[in-house]
Amino acid sequence: MDLTGDLLRGHTDAILLSILQTQDSYGYEINQRIFKQSNQLFSLTEATLYTSFKRLEKDGYIVSYWKDGINQVPRKYYSITILGQEYLKKHIDSYHKATAVIQTFLGGTHGKED
Amino acid sequence: MDLTGDLLRGHTDAILLSILQTQDSYGYEINQRIFKQSNQLFSLTEATLYTSFKRLEKDGYIVSYWKDGINQVPRKYYSITILGQEYLKKHIDSYHKATAVIQTFLGGTHGKED
DNA sequence: TATCATACCTAATGTGTCAAGGTATGATAT
DNA sequence: ATATCATACCTTGACACATTAGGTATGATA
């Protein structure tokens, strides 16, 4: 089974924000972080990743700045804003409510015994 | 906050299947069930509901039959198939894996204290 | 005979994701 | 020099699922 970003659909933005809440970071690194933190189960396609960044920046949830290290490919760093933190909080709240409901349907349905 | 079907996105089919696993039912009733079982938080739009049925039937996960009661508007009942049960099982498995990962990102991020 | 609840359905549009491209820098090997 | 790889960014077109906004029809009630 391969778990694509489709299973994360709708939560991508929040996941990126949650990572940025820890510290500023850039696309390539963030995606690697998701890959590792999910035990190599998930990673976003670059298209999804950068589309998400565009959306988040347009909405004012993150801001960006370039960082050109010496002997290093330029990186575009992102920083979460207050607005972004508020959005994240609300999303997490909705997420918990939604999963609670989904749980009532999908939770007791499967047979663990087999 | 209003919780629309977008938060259930991707899980609609599985939710319908899980209800049908309990017993055969029809669209209108199923949607009312979702509404009640979610404490009036969620319900599907009819378009989403019937689109989902079409998809599920096309894929062989459910079969349908009309039931014309006396003094009653005809109802289209749905019944889950073996294929549907297998799909449901797999979906639930993926769902658990996905929520586990999402949890690692969104779980410890929010401040309950405020 | 008008209106409401029940009960089904479709077409057009929107949103997020993916597949498949592209550009450019720095390191390494030939 | 130049080929190749890893890093690092970005865009376009297509697709899947959900929504908005309609539509049809029956039975009960006013």
Side-chain angles (χ1 to χ4, degrees), chain B:
Chain B
M1 163 161 19
D2 108 292
L3 303 176
T4 73
D6 246 333
L7 271 165
L8 305 182
R9 185 183 261 266
H11 306 293
T12 308
D13 291 10
I15 289 171
L16 299 186
L17 289 176
S18 79
I19 291 174
L20 291 176
Q21 204 166 42
T22 307
Q23 60 185 317
D24 289 11
S25 187
Y26 57 98
Y28 196 85
E29 189 188 50
I30 288 176
N31 211 15
Q32 286 188 321
R33 184 101 77 91
I34 293 172
F35 189 60
K36 284 170 192 159
Q37 189 163 334
S38 69
N39 285 321
Q40 286 76 48
L41 279 178
F42 289 97
S43 71
L44 305 175
T45 64
E46 295 196 344
T48 301
L49 182 70
Y50 291 110
T51 301
S52 183
F53 281 137
K54 292 276 183 263
R55 186 168 49 238
L56 287 168
E57 193 160 26
K58 177 179 67 60
D59 292 342
Y61 298 155
I62 56 175
V63 288
S64 63
Y65 54 94
W66 286 91
K67 216 169 175 176
D68 299 33
I70 307 160
N71 296 341
Q72 190 181 259
V73 179
R75 296 166 175 168
K76 193 175 188 178
Y77 277 76
Y78 295 99
S79 188
I80 189 170
T81 64
I82 302 287
L83 247 183
Q85 291 176 19
E86 288 169 0
Y87 168 83
L88 179 57
K89 230 180 207 173
K90 280 179 196 155
H91 181 93
I92 288 173
D93 193 51
S94 302
Y95 172 73
H96 286 321
K97 282 181 180 144
T99 46
V101 170
I102 295 174
Q103 188 62 25
T104 73
F105 289 105
L106 305 189
T109 312
H110 58 314
K112 264 185 95 93
E113 68 308 318
D114 73 10

